[in-house]
Amino acid sequence: MKDVQTHLSRLEAEAIEIMREVVSEAENPVMLYSVGKDSAVMLHLAKKAFYPSPPPFPLMHVDTTWKFQEMYKLRDKAAKDAGMELIVHQNPEAKEKGINPFDHGALHTDMWKTEGLKQALDKHGFDAAFGGARRDEEKSRAKERVFSFRTAQHRWEPKAQRPELWSLYNARKAKGESMRVFPLSNWTELDIWQYIHLEGIEIVPLYFAAPRPTVERDGLILMVDDDRFPLEPGEEPVMRSIRFRTLGCYPLTGAAQSEAATLTDVIQEMLLTTTSERQGRAIDKDQGASMEVKKQQGYF
Amino acid sequence: MTDQVYKTDALIAQDIDAYLERHQHKSLLRLITCGSVDDGKSTLIGRLLYDSKMIFEDQLAQLEADSKKVGTQGQEIDFALLVDGLAAEREQGITIDVAYRFFATEKRKFIVADTPGHEQYTRNMVTGASTAELAVILIDARKGVLTQTRRHSYLCHLLGIKCIVLAVNKMDLVDYDQAKFDAIVAEYTEFANSIGITDFTAIPISGFKGDNIAGHSDATSWYSGPTLMAHLEGVDLDQNTSAAQEFRMPVQWVNRPNLDFRGFSGKIAAGTIKPGDAVRILPSGKTSHVDRIVTYDGDLDSATAGQSITLTLKDEVDCSRGQVITTASAPLEVADQFETTLIWMDEEALIPGRSYYLKIGAQTVSATVAEPKYQINVNTMEHAAAKTLELNAIGVANITTDRDIPFAPYAENRTLGGFILIDKMTNATVGAGLINFALRRAQNIHWQATDITRDHHANLKNQKPAVLWMTGLSGSGKSTIANAVEKKLARMNRHTFLLDGDNVRHGLNKDLGFTDADRIENIRRVGEVAKLMADAGLIVITAFISPFRSERQMVRDMMAPGEFVEVFVDTPLSVAEERDVKGLYAKARSGQLKNFTGIDSPYEAPETPEIHIDTTAMSIDEAAEQIFKQLLGE
């Protein structure tokens, strides 16, 4: 970025610095890639950080098999364009037991995502994993470190967090321990959108409004993305013009009714909107279990 | 509450492209808010978020409900609830930390470091201040300048924050009395000048009522200065000063995609660089010229402080991670001894003499901290004598690194003068430091090369030098076994010397006691002596309790690879205590002897010793034989 004094250029320079630090200090880093807009920005920054080298680590998608079809398409393309290896991990146990969001509720997230992530990190021996989380997303994230240390059991010990001063990151750890690293810690949702706009970063088309088949459940508009969606007797998917503010498993991600079909429309709508981003995610609502508890257990 | 009209809304709705164009040129300001809950800090931050429209309707609905339920402001909105998190979290000890909040206005994006203000959270405040360019110091108008005001101001000034805002809060509770405000400002001015703060901006506000936050208050017609928000938006940032300095960039990563490209990646810490500029690499001192400034967005004509870039040089010069590329004609100072100001951040106090990792820029080295010159009372700024620094203590101490590092005094450049200390065993960040200046003696003592080398010495004796380092509890049998090993070696015509713990304390180390710091100095000196003897070609046998892993590692690091042989003389405490050859355990148990290893001072057993002797399973002679055989590789 040419203009060096803007907030976006400073955030970009900081994220690049963080990534270079991880590559220098970790033995076997990996970038977690969820195919969402934050992942897209993180991947773009990785290309910048190491240019002309390709990013010196693989991309890893911890898959639940329940993502939107368009996400799978972009995932494979993005990895190929970046010249990076793509590792896809699906928890074999969850697969065998047929764990799904319709029948298993919170267990679905726990098995596919939390357990799946731990399995994948252990399987490949990754000692540092980049994640796209931001501090503005949720209260407990506001005090998360950029370099977040995990025990050999992948537990996050909120009380044992290391002080982080200046841009000096302590990446030392014992064998078996690992770090989660969040280069986008200081970005807000608006920063992400502005950066996507400014840099022309490709994102999943689901972020833009289009007529899509939907049903309404518990106040959330859900998209019927494939024929695994169990319809109630007599229920018919209704075509609605919708888009998504966040992307996850399609049966857990609520859509917003919208006509914003272009990036600037989306930003405009986001700026004029009156509800916070995570409202569309079913995960934050289950029995008040906070992100903090999930994180202690190893969720990103 | 949602009837507030924002002028930006119209632009967003009518011309989003124009809005985006304007907003991508926003600057960024990082600030810290200092004060405690009682000063209305959370209320103020909540108010800033609210006034800059960072609160969504669902959050606002929640806030209104919470305010009625648990708020402290009656039926009115309690903004503090927005940022305070939950009381339960606070009790879990999680919230008492640094939290980062974000808001943006027309002109700027703001990152707020929100830290607790009490003295027991000094480390959190220092952490938040380390990245802040501006500090808002909150004062309760009813209470005036308090001890904590002084502490917060001192810490912000220490960490190099140039822009200080004195926010005199709760003006509504003193009837917006100008005389009260003026008196507080006068008192603060006197204090600020005394610690070197030359400039600050005082604003009378009410976080609760919103006076002089986003808009001018009618209640303070006597005040003609900026509102808090206007000041935050308009204050001149320091960024250009570091851009005006000479060029400095710590190398983070060497970029080698193929044999034809060799780039040095880093974030510019100071100055500006252009292709063709002459540069010097420190500490090696090698020089070259910049060939290209490479970025993903194309080569740049110039780059300046704050940018993450990759440089290629015209010559093939050695340069690796941790080295610093500087302007050739004005390089950085290089030294290995410094006076520093330290902020201790760990439950375990500083141990003078212990070897810690020191990370500065992109470089990690080993460093030892001398006994502090003094500790600073953060409430009174008075200096007091100190043997160590406990959690949250701030003091001044000399530091010695195991190699030369390029640096700038912290007051000149945060990146080149700020460092952290890392415990070698736990890997915890235990302290943060600011380099004040280099100690001259480091520069004036040079290593004198001699012609007869250590290899000569060893060859003359026809043996391979080694340091057999016996470690174990008092009464484990170290000295007895060491004596038996030396006799065996002597019979084989090996040149040896036995350094015994008790004996050394009669002479070389007679000035040392048994505190942790003295134990470490004891081992350091013995290590240096053992090293000299190994250089002279001898096989050195030492018998010291040497209870700490770090110091055994320190001695290991002094020796040539493979020369240090750690022998763990493993005797369980119960067995050693039962033997109690010197009657010391009895004394320690009865309290006559303090700091006795195994009783009231810890013993850290070796994790992977070269030789492990289980004294409960073998005789002295068998033990000596095993060591002898392993040493001579039989």
Side-chain angles (χ1 to χ4, degrees), chain A:
Chain A
M1 217 175 277
K2 304 263 157 84
D3 193 345
V4 299
Q5 301 294 353
T6 70
H7 71 298
L8 287 177
S9 61
R10 281 181 70 182
L11 291 172
E12 178 189 81
E14 178 190 64
I16 288 174
E17 182 182 32
I18 290 164
M19 289 184 181
R20 289 171 173 171
E21 210 51 25
V22 170
V23 160
S24 301
E25 299 231 350
E27 280 167 30
N28 190 14
V30 66
M31 177 167 280
L32 295 179
Y33 183 70
S34 72
V35 214
K37 65 184 193 307
D38 303 291
S39 280
V41 167
M42 187 165 63
L43 175 59
H44 185 76
L45 289 164
K47 292 189 215 167
K48 288 198 171 196
F50 304 101
Y51 178 85
S53 299
F57 40 77
L59 281 177
M60 184 163 77
H61 182 220
V62 178
D63 188 20
T64 65
T65 72
W66 289 93
K67 302 292 174 189
F68 293 91
Q69 294 311 311
E70 294 202 69
M71 292 172 73
Y72 292 115
K73 249 189 258 168
L74 182 68
R75 176 191 72 188
D76 298 344
K77 177 174 182 293
K80 201 164 149 246
D81 290 351
M84 294 166 77
E85 184 198 349
L86 173 69
I87 298 170
V88 176
H89 182 86
Q90 299 173 341
N91 181 349
E93 201 190 332
K95 207 170 188 174
E96 191 195 320
K97 292 189 173 150
I99 302 295
N100 69 72
F102 297 107
D103 302 324
H104 302 103
L107 185 66
H108 167 77
T109 304
D110 181 59
M111 292 274 288
W112 282 109
K113 288 185 82 174
T114 310
E115 288 307 312
L117 173 61
K118 289 191 225 171
Q119 281 172 359
L121 293 174
D122 286 343
K123 182 178 166 195
H124 299 277
F126 293 124
D127 65 340
F130 290 107
R134 309 187 318 265
R135 284 172 175 154
D136 79 326
E137 278 178 84
E138 195 264 345
K139 254 182 192 171
S140 84
R141 293 249 195 236
K143 52 208 166 189
E144 172 101 49
R145 302 292 190 266
V146 174
F147 280 53
S148 185
F149 177 80
R150 302 297 152 108
T151 65
Q153 290 74 43
H154 299 289
R155 278 190 72 85
W156 179 62
E157 303 286 354
K159 288 185 198 177
Q161 293 203 88
R162 294 168 177 175
E164 242 166 31
L165 293 103
W166 303 292
S167 50
L168 285 176
Y169 303 103
N170 172 4
R172 303 195 78 90
K173 55 201 168 342
K175 217 160 175 53
E177 296 169 343
S178 61
M179 316 284 290
R180 309 273 168 94
V181 182
F182 305 109
L184 305 181
S185 286
N186 288 326
W187 296 56
T188 61
E189 187 183 8
L190 178 57
D191 296 332
I192 294 286
W193 282 117
Q194 280 190 320
Y195 192 71
I196 288 170
H197 174 67
L198 201 60
E199 297 279 307
I201 299 169
E202 185 175 7
I203 53 173
V204 183
L206 293 162
Y207 285 112
F208 307 118
R212 297 186 169 101
T214 62
V215 296
E216 215 179 310
R217 293 277 163 87
D218 301 329
L220 289 183
I221 298 173
L222 299 177
M223 175 174 163
V224 183
D225 193 50
D226 59 36
D227 52 19
R228 290 179 295 175
F229 197 106
L231 296 169
E232 310 281 324
E235 192 177 32
E236 280 286 328
V238 180
M239 290 305 279
R240 289 184 172 97
S241 179
I242 56 160
R243 65 177 196 89
F244 293 87
R245 295 178 65 192
T246 63
L247 293 176
C249 294
Y250 80 78
L252 294 173
T253 309
Q257 302 221 45
S258 167
E259 302 293 334
T262 67
L263 186 57
T264 45
D265 288 350
V266 167
I267 297 175
Q268 186 175 39
E269 192 176 273
M270 200 263 315
L271 287 168
L272 297 174
T273 201
T274 52
T275 53
S276 62
E277 181 182 15
R278 295 190 73 91
Q279 219 201 18
R281 287 196 197 172
I283 182 170
D284 285 349
K285 291 193 176 158
D286 63 343
Q287 59 194 336
S290 73
M291 284 293 283
E292 198 141 303
V293 174
K294 286 200 160 52
K295 264 164 48 187
Q296 285 182 31
Q297 293 161 350
Y299 181 80
F300 228 78

Side-chain angles (χ1 to χ4, degrees), chain B residues 33-89:
Chain B
T33 48
C34 310
S36 61
V37 181
D38 307 336
D39 298 328
K41 177 170 63 83
S42 298
T43 305
L44 176 66
I45 297 173
R47 169 67 74 172
L48 287 170
L49 298 186
Y50 178 78
D51 281 357
S52 59
K53 208 189 169 219
M54 300 308 283
I55 315 290
F56 291 105
E57 214 167 65
D58 54 332
Q59 292 170 326
L60 196 61
Q62 185 69 41
L63 177 65
E64 281 175 6
D66 287 351
S67 296
K68 291 197 179 111
K69 209 160 51 189
V70 291
T72 55
Q73 309 294 347
Q75 287 301 299
E76 301 210 49
I77 286 202
D78 185 355
F79 289 103
L81 294 175
L82 273 177
V83 289
D84 263 356
L86 303 165
E89 285 184 314

Side-chain angles (χ1 to χ4, degrees), chain B residues 262-278:
Chain B
R262 186 175 157 83
F264 306 103
S265 301
K267 189 171 167 209
I268 304 175
T272 300
I273 194 80
K274 291 191 288 296
D277 284 356

Side-chain angles (χ1 to χ4, degrees), chain B residues 319-333:
Chain B
C319 182
S320 52
R321 173 170 165 82
Q323 300 196 311
V324 182
I325 301 179
T326 69
T327 311
S329 55
L332 282 173
E333 227 181 310

